[in-house]
Amino acid sequence: PGRRPAKATALLATRAHHSRPRLVRALVDPATKQVEDKPPVGLPSARAVIFTVHSGVRDAQRLEVVSLDSGKRARLIEGSGARFFPSGYIAFAYNQSGSLWVAPFDEAQARVTGPPTPVVEDILLSDGWIPTIAAGANGSLAYARGQTESSYVPRTLAWVDRMGREQPVEAPVRAWWWPQISPDGRRLGF
């Protein structure tokens, strides 16, 4: 009771025959202002993993790929919850659209090779904006449609003084998360 769940801090890799796990890289990189990485999806070559990188606001989610050999990360495309198809595509939720998109993907080069295209509207997104989809080895796609209530609701920001008086902050309405106040108490960062 009272214990917080553990937060993942590193990506480890091992072979199927239960070899000793090895560190690939730290998951969250403060230098890139990211808050967390969402579910990793291994590519069939077992050479790389695709992640959703979250920086605290919905429209800042992006897909990145990390090499399991070198630990090097590379930005792929804006979006979340990628699934790989052997036909050379990735499917993912495109930021704020509520639709499922596909983009051509070169697994050997671990990069997107063309523009994304929407394929299904009104897909169900989890609380972390990850699409409820599954990709089959034969290229089939299973998905859920609809909307879910989310704790990532749009919010307005306000400064509150010690007397409880609110002063609105000029900022867009969005799902703000993980605020931090600067040491001088004059700025707010996410």
Side-chain angles (χ1 to χ4, degrees), residues 91-94 98-102 117-121 123 131 133 141 143:
F92 56 95
Y94 192 71
S99 58
L100 186 69
W101 291 59
V102 296
T117 305
V119 292
V120 178
E121 296 297 322
I123 60 167
I133 61 174
L141 171 70
Y143 60 91

Side-chain angles (χ1 to χ4, degrees), residues 7-15 19-28 37 40 42 46 48-49 51 66-69 71:
K7 187 165 185 135
T9 58
L11 176 63
L12 302 172
T14 187
R15 297 286 176 199
S19 65
R20 183 179 198 115
R22 64 180 175 78
L23 176 68
V24 174
R25 71 164 291 126
L27 284 180
V28 176
D37 288 327
V49 174
F51 283 96
V66 62
S67 166
L68 295 178
D69 296 326

Side-chain angles (χ1 to χ4, degrees), residues 64-127:
E64 289 189 4
V65 63
V66 62
S67 166
L68 295 178
D69 296 326
S70 69
K72 182 181 175 191
R73 285 176 95 141
R75 184 178 287 226
L76 292 176
I77 196 165
E78 298 300 312
S80 61
R83 298 295 184 270
F84 175 77
F85 289 93
S87 57
Y89 287 87
I90 56 171
F92 56 95
Y94 192 71
N95 293 346
Q96 295 188 13
S97 69
S99 58
L100 186 69
W101 291 59
V102 296
F105 183 78
D106 182 333
E107 182 185 6
Q109 300 284 325
R111 65 183 184 93
V112 172
T113 59
T117 305
V119 292
V120 178
E121 296 297 322
D122 194 32
I123 60 167
L124 181 64
L125 300 177
S126 72
D127 199 31

